[in-house]
Amino acid sequence: MGNERCERVDNITNAALIGHRAVYNNPNTVKDEIFYYIYSILRSPEYRNLFASDLKKSLPCIPKVQNFYGFVEAGRKSTDLHLNHKKS
């Protein structure tokens, strides 16, 4: 069991990558940044409250925001906390 290898699978499509690069006018945006952005949006209490009834019925719609990289950084920090949290 300890010798199992995990395979990384990007769940961000190339079309999403191209779209984000165009919307945010940055050809250097990478898929990991989009992942962190989406993670941050979905964890946002404001987003969850605003779209609570919609989220019960369908898949989430991810809005485009002015501060994309602020959400990327928040998602990166939140992911790090969740993945590296050590229980006492």
Side-chain angles (χ1 to χ4, degrees), residues 14-60:
N14 288 335
L17 178 62
I18 291 166
H20 275 79
R21 285 177 173 174
V23 167
Y24 296 109
N25 196 27
N26 186 345
N28 298 318
T29 299
V30 296
K31 289 181 177 183
D32 282 355
E33 291 170 328
I34 298 169
F35 173 83
Y36 293 131
Y37 163 70
I38 292 170
Y39 188 84
S40 179
I41 293 286
L42 294 176
R43 299 264 320 142
S44 165
E46 182 179 350
Y47 173 85
R48 292 189 299 189
N49 287 333
L50 186 61
F51 295 103
S53 62
D54 295 330
L55 292 170
K56 292 176 185 175
K57 298 181 271 185
S58 62
L59 293 173

Side-chain angles (χ1 to χ4, degrees), residues 81-88:
L81 285 172
H82 291 140
L83 294 176
N84 296 314
H85 175 71
K86 301 207 188 235
K87 294 182 180 182
S88 304

